[in-house]
Amino acid sequence: MTTTVNNITTISPQITCLSWIKNGAKLYAKAPFKLTLLLVSVLLAEGIVQAIPFTMNVVVSKIVMALMTAGLWVMIDIFATTRSMSFKRVTQYHKWGTVLLLTPLLMAPFLTQTFVAWCLHGNAGLDLMLHATHIPITNTTLGVIFASGAPLSTLLLFLAPLLLIRNLSIKQAFTLNMKLIKMAWKSVVMIMILNALVLFLAPATFALSALLFGPLLLCIHYAAFTDLTSKLDA
């Protein structure tokens, strides 16, 4: 579906984070196992690439993860509209090339995490993030590093689905992404806090927080996206 960018004013406070959580939870409850497997597949792909011994394996793994994370929006949209996980329907979504071109931007949260790691641990922090080198670091510090990517990832939250699901141009997607965030910025900030909390807890929980709550957060993100864009279509 193609959507044009119109003049938009800030919507009423009726759109709240609680409604997104409720609708996201309903979607997640329809197929929790399949949705979890989707997220696990992304994490496995990232891990496989990192396991390949070459110089930039971690950076390449983050590129792969950025692309597959964008693909998660498509899979959740397919599931939400058809109640199936049909990979054949992926070809019905366009702008994959555009998403590929925007990969450096979609990697911005990782770059932020790398910068924070460098600020906290100097060159050792860079080795940690860029080469997956083990360094002495507490779970709390590592959690802070992971959580530092939440603000930028939330700021770019709707960019991929606007390209892939709404089939917008790059300029339209950027413009509408910021307008959607502005429409319900308080609720978006609450989503950012939830994202940051899950990331912060990942080291202490051996990534269980991401595995358990990651799929639910993806559904909440989708609920927020459909809720906000539906107001534009009304």
Side-chain angles (χ1 to χ4, degrees), residues 161-194:
L162 286 170
L163 289 168
L164 294 170
I165 299 175
R166 287 284 170 147
N167 201 32
L168 298 183
S169 67
I170 293 179
K171 182 179 179 180
Q172 287 176 322
F174 271 106
T175 301
L176 196 54
N177 175 71
M178 296 311 299
K179 288 186 176 182
L180 291 177
I181 291 174
K182 182 180 178 182
M183 285 166 65
W185 68 268
K186 292 182 180 179
S187 296
V188 172
V189 168
M190 293 179 68
I191 293 295
M192 181 193 72
I193 294 172
L194 288 176

mmCIF file of all heavy atoms in Angstrom, residues 161-194:
data_model
loop_
_atom_site.group_PDB
_atom_site.id
_atom_site.type_symbol
_atom_site.label_atom_id
_atom_site.label_comp_id
_atom_site.label_asym_id
_atom_site.label_seq_id
_atom_site.Cartn_x
_atom_site.Cartn_y
_atom_site.Cartn_z
ATOM 1 N N PRO A 161 9.517 -0.047 8.365
ATOM 2 C CA PRO A 161 8.158 -0.420 7.927
ATOM 3 C C PRO A 161 7.533 0.592 6.974
ATOM 4 O O PRO A 161 6.716 0.213 6.124
ATOM 5 C CB PRO A 161 7.377 -0.503 9.244
ATOM 6 C CG PRO A 161 8.133 0.337 10.209
ATOM 7 C CD PRO A 161 9.566 0.144 9.824
ATOM 8 N N LEU A 162 7.902 1.852 7.082
ATOM 9 C CA LEU A 162 7.377 2.841 6.148
ATOM 10 C C LEU A 162 7.897 2.568 4.735
ATOM 11 O O LEU A 162 7.188 2.785 3.743
ATOM 12 C CB LEU A 162 7.745 4.254 6.592
ATOM 13 C CG LEU A 162 6.956 4.793 7.786
ATOM 14 C CD1 LEU A 162 7.559 6.092 8.301
ATOM 15 C CD2 LEU A 162 5.486 4.994 7.430
ATOM 16 N N LEU A 163 9.126 2.093 4.641
ATOM 17 C CA LEU A 163 9.684 1.745 3.336
ATOM 18 C C LEU A 163 9.106 0.439 2.818
ATOM 19 O O LEU A 163 8.660 0.351 1.666
ATOM 20 C CB LEU A 163 11.218 1.623 3.447
ATOM 21 C CG LEU A 163 11.995 2.918 3.654
ATOM 22 C CD1 LEU A 163 13.441 2.603 4.030
ATOM 23 C CD2 LEU A 163 11.957 3.787 2.411
ATOM 24 N N LEU A 164 9.092 -0.592 3.672
ATOM 25 C CA LEU A 164 8.746 -1.927 3.223
ATOM 26 C C LEU A 164 7.235 -2.185 3.193
ATOM 27 O O LEU A 164 6.734 -2.836 2.282
ATOM 28 C CB LEU A 164 9.424 -2.966 4.119
ATOM 29 C CG LEU A 164 10.952 -2.999 4.037
ATOM 30 C CD1 LEU A 164 11.517 -3.891 5.129
ATOM 31 C CD2 LEU A 164 11.409 -3.475 2.670
ATOM 32 N N ILE A 165 6.535 -1.706 4.214
ATOM 33 C CA ILE A 165 5.098 -1.983 4.318
ATOM 34 C C ILE A 165 4.266 -0.916 3.610
ATOM 35 O O ILE A 165 3.306 -1.222 2.904
ATOM 36 C CB ILE A 165 4.677 -2.101 5.797
ATOM 37 C CG1 ILE A 165 5.421 -3.261 6.472
ATOM 38 C CG2 ILE A 165 3.170 -2.286 5.925
ATOM 39 C CD1 ILE A 165 5.169 -3.378 7.964
ATOM 40 N N ARG A 166 4.678 0.355 3.803
ATOM 41 C CA ARG A 166 3.925 1.447 3.177
ATOM 42 C C ARG A 166 4.474 1.849 1.816
ATOM 43 O O ARG A 166 3.883 2.661 1.108
ATOM 44 C CB ARG A 166 3.932 2.654 4.120
ATOM 45 C CG ARG A 166 3.027 2.467 5.342
ATOM 46 C CD ARG A 166 1.582 2.632 4.939
ATOM 47 N NE ARG A 166 0.664 2.251 5.985
ATOM 48 C CZ ARG A 166 -0.506 2.817 6.191
ATOM 49 N NH1 ARG A 166 -0.907 3.810 5.430
ATOM 50 N NH2 ARG A 166 -1.308 2.385 7.143
ATOM 51 N N ASN A 167 5.633 1.288 1.463
ATOM 52 C CA ASN A 167 6.194 1.500 0.124
ATOM 53 C C ASN A 167 6.465 2.976 -0.181
ATOM 54 O O ASN A 167 6.255 3.444 -1.303
ATOM 55 C CB ASN A 167 5.274 0.909 -0.945
ATOM 56 C CG ASN A 167 5.991 0.639 -2.257
ATOM 57 O OD1 ASN A 167 7.177 0.329 -2.267
ATOM 58 N ND2 ASN A 167 5.281 0.761 -3.362
ATOM 59 N N LEU A 168 6.941 3.698 0.817
ATOM 60 C CA LEU A 168 7.245 5.116 0.631
ATOM 61 C C LEU A 168 8.641 5.310 0.060
ATOM 62 O O LEU A 168 9.483 4.413 0.113
ATOM 63 C CB LEU A 168 7.144 5.857 1.961
ATOM 64 C CG LEU A 168 5.789 5.879 2.672
ATOM 65 C CD1 LEU A 168 5.880 6.722 3.937
ATOM 66 C CD2 LEU A 168 4.697 6.406 1.760
ATOM 67 N N SER A 169 8.882 6.493 -0.474
ATOM 68 C CA SER A 169 10.230 6.862 -0.895
ATOM 69 C C SER A 169 11.069 7.164 0.350
ATOM 70 O O SER A 169 10.538 7.298 1.459
ATOM 71 C CB SER A 169 10.187 8.095 -1.803
ATOM 72 O OG SER A 169 9.767 9.233 -1.059
ATOM 73 N N ILE A 170 12.375 7.279 0.165
ATOM 74 C CA ILE A 170 13.254 7.569 1.304
ATOM 75 C C ILE A 170 12.866 8.888 1.960
ATOM 76 O O ILE A 170 12.744 8.978 3.188
ATOM 77 C CB ILE A 170 14.732 7.613 0.852
ATOM 78 C CG1 ILE A 170 15.204 6.227 0.415
ATOM 79 C CG2 ILE A 170 15.608 8.141 1.981
ATOM 80 C CD1 ILE A 170 16.638 6.190 -0.053
ATOM 81 N N LYS A 171 12.651 9.920 1.151
ATOM 82 C CA LYS A 171 12.302 11.232 1.690
ATOM 83 C C LYS A 171 10.982 11.183 2.441
ATOM 84 O O LYS A 171 10.864 11.725 3.557
ATOM 85 C CB LYS A 171 12.220 12.260 0.560
ATOM 86 C CG LYS A 171 11.903 13.665 1.050
ATOM 87 C CD LYS A 171 11.867 14.656 -0.112
ATOM 88 C CE LYS A 171 11.525 16.055 0.378
ATOM 89 N NZ LYS A 171 11.479 17.039 -0.742
ATOM 90 N N GLN A 172 9.986 10.527 1.856
ATOM 91 C CA GLN A 172 8.693 10.417 2.525
ATOM 92 C C GLN A 172 8.803 9.629 3.820
ATOM 93 O O GLN A 172 8.205 9.989 4.833
ATOM 94 C CB GLN A 172 7.689 9.736 1.593
ATOM 95 C CG GLN A 172 7.211 10.586 0.434
ATOM 96 C CD GLN A 172 6.296 9.807 -0.492
ATOM 97 O OE1 GLN A 172 6.512 8.623 -0.743
ATOM 98 N NE2 GLN A 172 5.269 10.468 -0.999
ATOM 99 N N ALA A 173 9.585 8.546 3.783
ATOM 100 C CA ALA A 173 9.733 7.703 4.970
ATOM 101 C C ALA A 173 10.392 8.466 6.106
ATOM 102 O O ALA A 173 9.962 8.383 7.267
ATOM 103 C CB ALA A 173 10.536 6.453 4.629
ATOM 104 N N PHE A 174 11.438 9.221 5.805
ATOM 105 C CA PHE A 174 12.106 10.005 6.840
ATOM 106 C C PHE A 174 11.148 11.044 7.426
ATOM 107 O O PHE A 174 11.072 11.219 8.651
ATOM 108 C CB PHE A 174 13.343 10.709 6.268
ATOM 109 C CG PHE A 174 14.589 9.898 6.345
ATOM 110 C CD1 PHE A 174 15.125 9.306 5.216
ATOM 111 C CD2 PHE A 174 15.242 9.705 7.557
ATOM 112 C CE1 PHE A 174 16.269 8.539 5.290
ATOM 113 C CE2 PHE A 174 16.392 8.950 7.645
ATOM 114 C CZ PHE A 174 16.912 8.362 6.495
ATOM 115 N N THR A 175 10.440 11.725 6.551
ATOM 116 C CA THR A 175 9.521 12.773 7.002
ATOM 117 C C THR A 175 8.408 12.196 7.864
ATOM 118 O O THR A 175 8.111 12.706 8.953
ATOM 119 C CB THR A 175 8.909 13.499 5.793
ATOM 120 O OG1 THR A 175 9.951 14.071 5.003
ATOM 121 C CG2 THR A 175 7.967 14.609 6.253
ATOM 122 N N LEU A 176 7.809 11.125 7.386
ATOM 123 C CA LEU A 176 6.676 10.542 8.098
ATOM 124 C C LEU A 176 7.118 9.859 9.388
ATOM 125 O O LEU A 176 6.372 9.859 10.378
ATOM 126 C CB LEU A 176 5.941 9.563 7.197
ATOM 127 C CG LEU A 176 4.537 9.154 7.650
ATOM 128 C CD1 LEU A 176 3.669 10.380 7.900
ATOM 129 C CD2 LEU A 176 3.893 8.231 6.632
ATOM 130 N N ASN A 177 8.302 9.274 9.386
ATOM 131 C CA ASN A 177 8.825 8.650 10.603
ATOM 132 C C ASN A 177 8.879 9.657 11.745
ATOM 133 O O ASN A 177 8.432 9.378 12.865
ATOM 134 C CB ASN A 177 10.217 8.079 10.339
ATOM 135 C CG ASN A 177 10.875 7.529 11.597
ATOM 136 O OD1 ASN A 177 10.494 6.496 12.131
ATOM 137 N ND2 ASN A 177 11.880 8.232 12.093
ATOM 138 N N MET A 178 9.419 10.824 11.459
ATOM 139 C CA MET A 178 9.528 11.845 12.505
ATOM 140 C C MET A 178 8.155 12.378 12.898
ATOM 141 O O MET A 178 7.912 12.678 14.077
ATOM 142 C CB MET A 178 10.424 12.991 12.026
ATOM 143 C CG MET A 178 11.866 12.586 11.757
ATOM 144 S SD MET A 178 12.600 11.634 13.132
ATOM 145 C CE MET A 178 12.483 12.817 14.462
ATOM 146 N N LYS A 179 7.231 12.486 11.955
ATOM 147 C CA LYS A 179 5.892 12.978 12.276
ATOM 148 C C LYS A 179 5.121 11.965 13.116
ATOM 149 O O LYS A 179 4.377 12.351 14.030
ATOM 150 C CB LYS A 179 5.130 13.315 10.992
ATOM 151 C CG LYS A 179 5.663 14.573 10.321
ATOM 152 C CD LYS A 179 4.810 14.981 9.132
ATOM 153 C CE LYS A 179 5.317 16.290 8.537
ATOM 154 N NZ LYS A 179 4.498 16.747 7.401
ATOM 155 N N LEU A 180 5.306 10.680 12.826
ATOM 156 C CA LEU A 180 4.653 9.655 13.634
ATOM 157 C C LEU A 180 5.154 9.699 15.072
ATOM 158 O O LEU A 180 4.376 9.569 16.022
ATOM 159 C CB LEU A 180 4.897 8.266 13.038
ATOM 160 C CG LEU A 180 4.211 7.949 11.710
ATOM 161 C CD1 LEU A 180 4.616 6.561 11.228
ATOM 162 C CD2 LEU A 180 2.695 8.049 11.835
ATOM 163 N N ILE A 181 6.461 9.865 15.240
ATOM 164 C CA ILE A 181 7.028 9.954 16.585
ATOM 165 C C ILE A 181 6.513 11.194 17.304
ATOM 166 O O ILE A 181 6.168 11.148 18.493
ATOM 167 C CB ILE A 181 8.568 9.964 16.508
ATOM 168 C CG1 ILE A 181 9.063 8.590 16.052
ATOM 169 C CG2 ILE A 181 9.184 10.341 17.855
ATOM 170 C CD1 ILE A 181 10.552 8.524 15.802
ATOM 171 N N LYS A 182 6.426 12.295 16.577
ATOM 172 C CA LYS A 182 5.937 13.536 17.176
ATOM 173 C C LYS A 182 4.471 13.416 17.587
ATOM 174 O O LYS A 182 4.043 13.994 18.597
ATOM 175 C CB LYS A 182 6.105 14.691 16.180
ATOM 176 C CG LYS A 182 5.675 16.043 16.734
ATOM 177 C CD LYS A 182 5.866 17.139 15.692
ATOM 178 C CE LYS A 182 5.393 18.475 16.208
ATOM 179 N NZ LYS A 182 5.534 19.555 15.180
ATOM 180 N N MET A 183 3.689 12.640 16.844
ATOM 181 C CA MET A 183 2.260 12.502 17.118
ATOM 182 C C MET A 183 1.998 11.941 18.518
ATOM 183 O O MET A 183 1.011 12.296 19.165
ATOM 184 C CB MET A 183 1.604 11.588 16.071
ATOM 185 C CG MET A 183 1.413 12.235 14.710
ATOM 186 S SD MET A 183 1.036 11.007 13.424
ATOM 187 C CE MET A 183 -0.556 10.422 13.990
ATOM 188 N N ALA A 184 2.863 11.048 18.959
ATOM 189 C CA ALA A 184 2.646 10.422 20.271
ATOM 190 C C ALA A 184 3.999 10.249 20.963
ATOM 191 O O ALA A 184 4.358 9.160 21.404
ATOM 192 C CB ALA A 184 1.939 9.093 20.116
ATOM 193 N N TRP A 185 4.736 11.348 21.085
ATOM 194 C CA TRP A 185 6.116 11.254 21.536
ATOM 195 C C TRP A 185 6.250 10.738 22.962
ATOM 196 O O TRP A 185 7.214 10.047 23.305
ATOM 197 C CB TRP A 185 6.820 12.599 21.381
ATOM 198 C CG TRP A 185 6.316 13.689 22.305
ATOM 199 C CD1 TRP A 185 5.343 14.590 22.042
ATOM 200 C CD2 TRP A 185 6.800 13.971 23.618
ATOM 201 N NE1 TRP A 185 5.158 15.425 23.114
ATOM 202 C CE2 TRP A 185 6.053 15.079 24.099
ATOM 203 C CE3 TRP A 185 7.784 13.434 24.437
ATOM 204 C CZ2 TRP A 185 6.247 15.634 25.370
ATOM 205 C CZ3 TRP A 185 7.990 13.978 25.699
ATOM 206 C CH2 TRP A 185 7.222 15.066 26.148
ATOM 207 N N LYS A 186 5.274 11.040 23.819
ATOM 208 C CA LYS A 186 5.352 10.542 25.195
ATOM 209 C C LYS A 186 5.254 9.015 25.238
ATOM 210 O O LYS A 186 5.987 8.358 25.986
ATOM 211 C CB LYS A 186 4.250 11.172 26.046
ATOM 212 C CG LYS A 186 4.431 12.660 26.292
ATOM 213 C CD LYS A 186 3.322 13.216 27.177
ATOM 214 C CE LYS A 186 3.521 14.703 27.416
ATOM 215 N NZ LYS A 186 2.436 15.289 28.257
ATOM 216 N N SER A 187 4.373 8.460 24.442
ATOM 217 C CA SER A 187 4.246 7.011 24.374
ATOM 218 C C SER A 187 5.479 6.385 23.736
ATOM 219 O O SER A 187 5.921 5.302 24.139
ATOM 220 C CB SER A 187 3.000 6.622 23.578
ATOM 221 O OG SER A 187 1.828 7.057 24.239
ATOM 222 N N VAL A 188 6.038 7.068 22.736
ATOM 223 C CA VAL A 188 7.254 6.570 22.091
ATOM 224 C C VAL A 188 8.418 6.548 23.078
ATOM 225 O O VAL A 188 9.228 5.611 23.076
ATOM 226 C CB VAL A 188 7.598 7.431 20.855
ATOM 227 C CG1 VAL A 188 8.964 7.046 20.295
ATOM 228 C CG2 VAL A 188 6.528 7.275 19.776
ATOM 229 N N VAL A 189 8.493 7.552 23.935
ATOM 230 C CA VAL A 189 9.546 7.574 24.964
ATOM 231 C C VAL A 189 9.388 6.390 25.913
ATOM 232 O O VAL A 189 10.377 5.767 26.324
ATOM 233 C CB VAL A 189 9.510 8.901 25.741
ATOM 234 C CG1 VAL A 189 10.397 8.821 26.994
ATOM 235 C CG2 VAL A 189 9.987 10.047 24.855
ATOM 236 N N MET A 190 8.157 6.055 26.248
ATOM 237 C CA MET A 190 7.930 4.900 27.111
ATOM 238 C C MET A 190 8.367 3.606 26.424
ATOM 239 O O MET A 190 8.930 2.704 27.066
ATOM 240 C CB MET A 190 6.449 4.825 27.494
ATOM 241 C CG MET A 190 5.987 5.954 28.382
ATOM 242 S SD MET A 190 4.218 5.856 28.794
ATOM 243 C CE MET A 190 4.201 4.387 29.821
ATOM 244 N N ILE A 191 8.142 3.511 25.121
ATOM 245 C CA ILE A 191 8.614 2.357 24.358
ATOM 246 C C ILE A 191 10.138 2.310 24.394
ATOM 247 O O ILE A 191 10.739 1.235 24.542
ATOM 248 C CB ILE A 191 8.121 2.436 22.897
ATOM 249 C CG1 ILE A 191 6.605 2.282 22.836
ATOM 250 C CG2 ILE A 191 8.803 1.390 22.033
ATOM 251 C CD1 ILE A 191 6.111 0.919 23.280
ATOM 252 N N MET A 192 10.761 3.461 24.259
ATOM 253 C CA MET A 192 12.223 3.528 24.308
ATOM 254 C C MET A 192 12.745 3.017 25.648
ATOM 255 O O MET A 192 13.739 2.282 25.709
ATOM 256 C CB MET A 192 12.693 4.963 24.081
ATOM 257 C CG MET A 192 14.214 5.132 24.088
ATOM 258 S SD MET A 192 14.732 6.858 24.195
ATOM 259 C CE MET A 192 14.292 7.211 25.913
ATOM 260 N N ILE A 193 12.069 3.396 26.731
ATOM 261 C CA ILE A 193 12.485 2.947 28.065
ATOM 262 C C ILE A 193 12.353 1.433 28.185
ATOM 263 O O ILE A 193 13.233 0.759 28.746
ATOM 264 C CB ILE A 193 11.657 3.660 29.150
ATOM 265 C CG1 ILE A 193 11.981 5.161 29.156
ATOM 266 C CG2 ILE A 193 11.913 3.057 30.525
ATOM 267 C CD1 ILE A 193 11.089 5.992 30.062
ATOM 268 N N LEU A 194 11.274 0.879 27.654
ATOM 269 C CA LEU A 194 11.096 -0.577 27.665
ATOM 270 C C LEU A 194 12.208 -1.266 26.871
ATOM 271 O O LEU A 194 12.772 -2.275 27.311
ATOM 272 C CB LEU A 194 9.733 -0.948 27.084
ATOM 273 C CG LEU A 194 8.503 -0.635 27.936
ATOM 274 C CD1 LEU A 194 7.234 -0.974 27.163
ATOM 275 C CD2 LEU A 194 8.539 -1.412 29.245
#
